[in-house]
Each structure stands twice: as structure tokens, then as C-alpha cells.
């Protein structure tokens, strides 16, 4: 179906966008995307296989790492069909229900990943601040409960978004700016009042990302204070080295996400290509780099 106005909610489709002006070379552009997806899926699957088969890795740190790998696999699987569909087959159409489902999983899995990164920070905090009680604090039962809370937190807070979007009438051009569906993109196409959806989206973003970043900051300030009290410089460096890979994962996750959100809300004059490229970095970089880090 072509981009039309005054579309009815039940029959309308959205049109996804690749790289504007580069349609002639979409097939070549698909090669790096395919490579990124293969590396992401294989890398995270290998991590899960190694942790599952090696009993010595059934410890809190590696359990949290396996949770992160599962979340990254979920994000890759959620976005792979629409992105590769555009570049390989020029398949741009997506139904409203499929679009709502995709944005639900993208946002909820992103929030879950934020929660898991926070749990990994808590793991480092306990290991450094109270190493003698580490095993008694982070028991398998407690880890399972924290993981369940992280999943429920992401899914429950994101659950209203598709239903709020489904109430809207879409009477504007139905072309999205990205190769996948996002809440902030879809609601801009509605001809209804989107103030409730906009406020709720901002609320859950601040609640999830804002709160998690605050807790990250507090945990690492405490870790730094504790480490600086260590008499031996060698032990100090060893303790800090255990946090480096986690800090890299946090920066790689939050820097693109925050930049992407700010561009959507305040970057009306920025080039569309910048938003598109940053959108790819925001979704594709963490699943690719986390297995390496």
C-alpha cells in the first residue's frame, strides 16, 4: 500500500525507511548489516553456551552476563526482519499491529538491558564493598528474583504504549524515519492528541533510564571510595580492572540512547541522516560489542 492520508486504523500500514537517497545501493548496504547481525547472534550465543556448559561459571557475575546476552539476542531478533527486509528485498511495509508489537519489544528489552547493567553494577559493588558476604548476599534464588523483577519492570511499564497508540487515528503521511518502529516515531504520525502518550513515554524513560543512571553513579562512587582505601596500589588496580568492561558496556548502551532521545525531542534542525545512523548505533552496537567487552 502506498503512503496515503486519512488511513483507517485497522487497514493502514506504515512504510519504513532505509538510507534515503541510497536505494540503488541498498543491496551493498545490507552486507555490513548482515555481518553485524551474524556477529551479534553468534557472539551472544557462544557466551550462553560457554556459561551453560562450564559449571565453574555458574556464579553471579556470569549469570548476569548470560541475562545480558539473552536480552541482546532479543533485540537483534526483534529488529533483524524489518532492517534486512528493507535492504535485501525493498520490503518497506509493516502493519500497525506488527509495528506496535515491534516497538513494544524494542522498548521493553532496552529497559530490561538497562536493569541488567544495573544488576551487574550491584554485583561489582557487593564484590568490592563486602567481599566476605558476597556469596551469602548474591544467592541463586536472590539473583533469579532480581532477574524476574528486571523483566517485569521492563514489560509492565512498556505494556500500555501499544494500546495508547492503537487508540489514535493516523491521517498523516505514514512514512516512518527508521527501519523499525519506535513509540516516539509512530505517535508523530497520529492526527489525535498525543499529549498523554508523550507524557507517559517521557515518564517511563525518566523512571527507568534516569533512576538507573543515578544508581549507577552512586554505586560507582561508593566503589571508588572503597577502592581508594585499599593500601596496595596493585590491589587497587586489580579491583578497578574488574569494573572497566562493565563501564564500557554502560557507556556504549547509554551514550547512543540518550543522544538518540535528545535528537528526537530537541533536534528538529539536525540532518535526518544523523538521526537514522544514530538509531542504528543505538540498537545494533550494544549486542555487537557486549560479547567482546
Amino acid at each position: 500500500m502506498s503512503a496515503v492520508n486519512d488511513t483507517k486504523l485497522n487497514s493502514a500500514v506504515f512504510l519504513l525507511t532505509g538510507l534515503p537517497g541510497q536505494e540503488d545501493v541498498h543491496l551493498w548496504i545490507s552486507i555490513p548489516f548482515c555481518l553485524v547481525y551474524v556477529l551479534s547472534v553468534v557472539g551472544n550465543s557462544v557466551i550462553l553456551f560457554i556459561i551453560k556448559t562450564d559449571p565453574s561459571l555458574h556464579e553471579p557475575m556470569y549469570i548476569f552476563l548470560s541475562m545480558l546476552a539473552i536480552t541482546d539476542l532479543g533485540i537483534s531478533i526483534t529488529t533483524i526482519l524489518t532492517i534486512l527486509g528493507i535492504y535485501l528485498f525493498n520490503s518497506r511495509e509493516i502493519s500497525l499491529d506488527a509495528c506496535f508489537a515491534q516497538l513494544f519489544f524494542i522498548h521493553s528489552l532496552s529497559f530490561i538491558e538497562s536493569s541488567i547493567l544495573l544488576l551487574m553494577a550491584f554485583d561489582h559493588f557487593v564484590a568490592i564493598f563486602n567481599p566476605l558476604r558476597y556469596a551469602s548476599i548474591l544467592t541463586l534464588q536472590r539473583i533469579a528474583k532480581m532477574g524476574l523483577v528486571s523483566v517485569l519492570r521492563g514489560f509492565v511499564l512498556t505494556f500500555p504504549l501499544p494500546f495508547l497508540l492503537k487508540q489514535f487515528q493516523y491521517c498523516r503521511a505514514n512514512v516512518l524515519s527508521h527501519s523499525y518502529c519506535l513509540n516516539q516515531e509512530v505517535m508523530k504520525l497520529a492526527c489525535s492528541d498525543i499529549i498523554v502518550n508523550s507524557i507517559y513515554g517521557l515518564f517511563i524513560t525518566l523512571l527507568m533510564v534516569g533512576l538507573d543512571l543515578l544508581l549507577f553513579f552512586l554505586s560507582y562512587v561508593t566503589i571508588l571510595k572503597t577502592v581508594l582505601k585499599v593500601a596496595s596500589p596493585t590491589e587497587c588496580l586489580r579491583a578497578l580492572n574488574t569494573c572497566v568492561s562493565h563501564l564500557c558496556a554502560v557507556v556504549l548502551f547509554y551514550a547512543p540512547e540518550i543522544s538518540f532521545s535528545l535528537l528526537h525531542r530537541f533536534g528538529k534542525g539536525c540532518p535526518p541522516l544523523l538521526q537514522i545512523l544514530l538509531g542504528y548505533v543505538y540498537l545494533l552496537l550494544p549486542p555487537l560489542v557486549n560479547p567482546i567487552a
Side-chain angles (χ1 to χ4, degrees):
M1 181 182 295
S2 60
V4 293
N5 292 333
D6 299 322
T7 53
K8 293 183 179 180
L9 181 64
N10 292 330
S11 60
V13 297
F14 291 126
L15 295 180
L16 302 171
T17 302
L19 290 177
Q22 304 298 322
E23 288 79 9
D24 294 339
V25 291
H26 269 187
L27 188 61
W28 292 104
I29 297 175
S30 69
I31 295 175
F33 280 109
C34 290
L35 184 61
V36 166
Y37 276 116
V38 169
L39 291 176
S40 299
V41 171
V42 171
N44 286 289
S45 298
V46 167
I47 286 178
L48 290 173
F49 177 77
I50 293 175
I51 293 175
K52 178 178 175 57
T53 55
D54 190 345
S56 65
L57 299 181
H58 295 174
E59 297 179 358
M61 177 176 64
Y62 296 103
I63 294 174
F64 290 134
L65 184 59
S66 65
M67 292 180 185
L68 186 65
I70 292 173
T71 306
D72 285 335
L73 280 174
I75 292 176
S76 296
I77 293 170
T78 300
T79 58
I80 188 172
L81 291 179
T82 55
I83 294 179
L84 293 185
I86 290 174
Y87 291 105
L88 287 174
F89 309 108
N90 195 31
S91 176
R92 298 179 56 201
E93 292 187 356
I94 183 171
S95 68
L96 267 69
D97 289 337
C99 186
F100 296 157
Q102 185 183 51
L103 69 86
F104 167 75
F105 283 109
I106 287 177
H107 289 295
S108 59
L109 288 171
S110 295
F111 289 146
I112 292 170
E113 180 154 351
S114 176
S115 298
I116 294 172
L117 288 171
L118 180 60
L119 293 181
M120 295 174 77
F122 178 69
D123 172 72
H124 290 300
F125 169 77
V126 175
I128 292 175
F129 187 73
N130 200 347
L132 297 179
R133 295 190 57 204
Y134 178 81
S136 61
I137 293 176
L138 290 176
T139 62
L140 290 179
Q141 185 178 12
R142 190 164 291 165
I143 291 171
K145 289 180 179 179
M146 290 191 293
L148 180 60
V149 169
S150 298
V151 172
L152 291 176
R153 181 179 179 231
F155 281 150
V156 169
L157 289 176
T158 312
F159 188 74
L161 291 180
F163 296 96
L164 290 172
L165 292 171
K166 202 172 181 66
Q167 304 306 311
F168 295 154
Q169 292 293 325
Y170 297 92
C171 57
R172 300 176 183 174
N174 57 344
V175 181
L176 298 172
S177 302
H178 298 282
S179 305
Y180 48 84
C181 295
L182 293 173
N183 174 63
Q184 56 267 41
E185 276 287 304
V186 174
M187 69 180 182
K188 290 179 181 178
L189 303 183
C191 54
S192 311
D193 184 7
I194 62 172
I195 185 65
V196 173
N197 194 284
S198 182
I199 291 175
Y200 184 73
L202 180 61
F203 166 74
I204 61 174
T205 300
L206 291 176
L207 180 63
M208 298 290 290
V209 178
L211 180 61
D212 287 355
L213 281 175
L214 176 62
L215 294 175
F216 274 124
F217 176 75
L218 294 176
S219 63
Y220 272 101
V221 166
T222 306
I223 287 173
L224 186 59
K225 287 183 178 179
T226 304
V227 167
L228 290 177
K229 293 179 182 178
V230 178
S232 170
T234 304
E235 293 180 5
C236 180
L237 288 174
R238 188 183 304 142
L240 289 176
N241 282 336
T242 61
C243 302
V244 170
S245 61
H246 177 252
L247 283 173
C248 290
V250 170
V251 171
L252 288 173
F253 176 77
Y254 279 108
E257 181 176 11
I258 293 173
S259 301
F260 186 62
S261 298
L262 290 175
L263 274 181
H264 262 284
R265 290 189 177 273
F266 308 109
K268 293 183 179 180
C270 73
L273 183 60
L274 178 60
Q275 284 194 10
I276 293 172
L277 293 177
L278 191 56
Y280 286 132
V281 172
Y282 150 64
L283 276 185
L284 303 183
L285 186 63
L288 175 65
V289 177
N290 282 339
I292 303 172

